[in-house]
Amino acid sequence: MSTPETTGGAGPTNTLPNTFKTRALCGNTTTDTVIANKGTKRSRKDANEATAADASKPHAPPPPKPIDPQYLIFPTELTKIDFSRRISWGKEPPPLTPVDTPPVFPPNSPALCLQIHAVQRRARATTLHLPHGPISTPVFMPVGTKGTIKGITTHELQNLPELNHGILLGNTYHLANEPGSDVVASHGGLHEMMNWNRNILTDSGGFQMVSLLQLAEITEQGVSFLDPAGSGTTLMLRPEDSIRHQNNIGADIIMALDDVVSSATYHTARERFVEATYHTTRWLDWCFEAHANPHTQHLFHIVQGGLDTKMGGLREQSLATFMLRDETMCTPLEGWQEARARTISGRW
């Protein structure tokens, strides 16, 4: 039975409720595959044949949607900032601390203490103290999207000398979508659910605005995702929803929801990056208001602005808004928006 395709690869529409597009990665070729939401099943052979048939078709990115001009207005709070010189956090690094020094958690950071042991140019060796134990950085952080590391048991991850990791990553969107963060909370949080007694970092779900862009609708309130499994349901992820899910999951480090735009998306207009940068600042305030467990979960915020690194550019504007909130917020993680799930690098 043939299935009519959506037009232009623009994601979910009201006119075709029974179909949606998803991105399928086949080798090095990214293709669009139409999945029917009618309760029917396709065999693996049929799916592979459909993917192979579409592999030669060029991927047409969705056209950018018009942006409400009110979301492109330069924030009033930034009019006080002098952008004629480089924006820098302007803080002196803390003094070096001997290894094995007991941590001291400051009042504005009760769930995280960073000790710096050695510095060479921009590199540094540190110990990051978190609720589930210390981590020496730089450190590799394995990705356990839905609470599992593929092909490795929790016992192996904790006890094999070659592994012995102190932190892993879980994904807020995928855990909220299935099995649901309430289910995770009912099992004592992700630590108990996967029998992991070390640290966890959760992404906010912001990166899915890139990886699942064709299933996403982004607004001032947040982002709505159509279920990639084809159930026809949607998951609304507002800043307060992202924090609620991460509070339920119980990760040691949680991330504020940010509006992520792929820097590799050639057709994206600058206005979309402007909107995303200012969204991220407003969403950050909502995230901190919603955070219910600041004494056990450290909330990081994320610098946005794409690749606009010029003086007074979007990245400096994003950093400046965080500097204005320095008295009430924790230390930011300055990272490129598509690299948050990487190694904790231990760099300035």
Side-chain angles (χ1 to χ4, degrees):
M1 178 177 68
S2 63
T3 304
E5 294 193 0
T6 58
T7 58
T13 64
N14 293 328
T15 56
L16 292 174
N18 292 324
T19 63
F20 65 90
K21 288 206 168 188
T22 188
R23 303 291 297 280
L25 189 64
C26 182
N28 292 325
T29 304
T30 302
T31 62
D32 282 336
T33 304
V34 177
I35 301 177
N37 175 29
K38 295 183 177 179
T40 58
K41 294 183 178 179
R42 293 193 306 173
S43 68
R44 174 69 66 180
K45 179 180 179 182
D46 291 340
N48 290 342
E49 289 177 351
T51 300
D54 288 341
S56 60
K57 298 179 181 179
H59 171 63
K65 295 181 180 180
I67 298 175
D68 190 329
Q70 68 173 313
Y71 300 133
L72 304 177
I73 298 174
F74 188 74
T76 303
E77 61 184 322
L78 291 182
T79 59
K80 308 172 185 177
I81 304 298
D82 180 10
F83 287 105
S84 65
R85 55 184 180 180
R86 280 292 183 183
I87 300 300
S88 171
W89 201 260
K91 293 184 177 181
E92 291 294 326
L96 299 184
T97 304
V99 177
D100 296 329
T101 300
V104 177
F105 295 87
N108 68 335
S109 181
L112 182 148
C113 172
L114 179 67
Q115 297 175 332
I116 301 176
H117 307 306
V119 175
Q120 185 175 16
R121 296 182 181 179
R122 290 173 58 86
R124 61 184 179 180
T126 79
T127 298
L128 189 64
H129 294 274
L130 296 167
H132 284 84
I135 304 167
S136 297
T137 72
V139 61
F140 176 76
M141 181 168 56
V143 177
T145 300
K146 296 178 70 173
T148 61
I149 306 297
K150 299 296 187 293
I152 302 175
T153 67
T154 301
H155 178 79
E156 291 172 328
L157 200 62
Q158 293 181 149
N159 293 285
L160 288 181
E162 300 87 352
L163 300 176
N164 193 25
H165 291 290
I167 188 170
L168 57 79
L169 180 142
N171 185 278
T172 297
Y173 164 78
H174 288 291
L175 287 166
N177 191 53
E178 187 182 40
S181 69
D182 292 339
V183 174
V184 176
S186 70
H187 286 79
L190 190 58
H191 289 91
E192 293 292 328
M193 188 171 180
M194 63 178 298
N195 195 26
W196 174 256
N197 61 8
R198 299 183 184 179
N199 296 289
I200 297 174
L201 179 151
T202 43
D203 188 16
S204 67
F207 183 69
Q208 276 61 55
M209 297 183 207
V210 174
S211 62
L212 297 178
L213 177 60
Q214 298 219 9
L215 305 180
E217 181 179 358
I218 303 167
T219 68
E220 170 69 9
Q221 300 304 314
V223 56
S224 177
F225 292 101
L226 189 63
D227 182 11
S231 68
T233 60
T234 60
L235 175 66
M236 184 64 190
L237 198 63
R238 300 169 299 174
E240 56 268 39
D241 296 324
S242 174
I243 297 301
R244 174 175 56 84
H245 291 311
Q246 292 182 84
N247 286 161
N248 285 342
I249 292 167
D252 303 87
I253 295 177
I254 65 177
M255 295 289 180
L257 182 67
D258 56 329
D259 188 349
V260 184
V261 184
S262 173
S263 299
T265 306
Y266 64 90
H267 71 284
T268 303
R270 172 181 165 79
E271 286 74 15
R272 178 66 186 98
F273 286 97
V274 174
E275 177 191 41
T277 302
Y278 299 161
H279 267 171
T280 298
T281 299
R282 291 189 292 270
W283 291 358
L284 175 63
D285 292 334
W286 302 345
C287 285
F288 270 88
E289 290 176 4
H291 189 17
N293 303 323
H295 293 284
T296 58
Q297 295 179 287
H298 188 93
L299 175 56
F300 275 58
H301 46 296
I302 302 161
V303 175
Q304 276 296 342
L307 299 178
D308 185 4
T309 59
K310 65 179 179 294
M311 187 180 298
L314 291 175
R315 291 189 69 81
E316 288 201 353
Q317 292 178 33
S318 182
L319 177 58
T321 61
F322 298 156
M323 291 171 61
L324 293 173
R325 293 159 172 76
D326 184 36
E327 293 302 317
T328 58
M329 295 185 178
C330 305
T331 306
L333 174 67
E334 297 185 39
W336 301 102
Q337 65 267 44
E338 294 187 63
R340 296 193 306 278
R342 300 181 305 179
T343 302
I344 297 178
S345 63
R347 292 175 66 90
W348 291 117

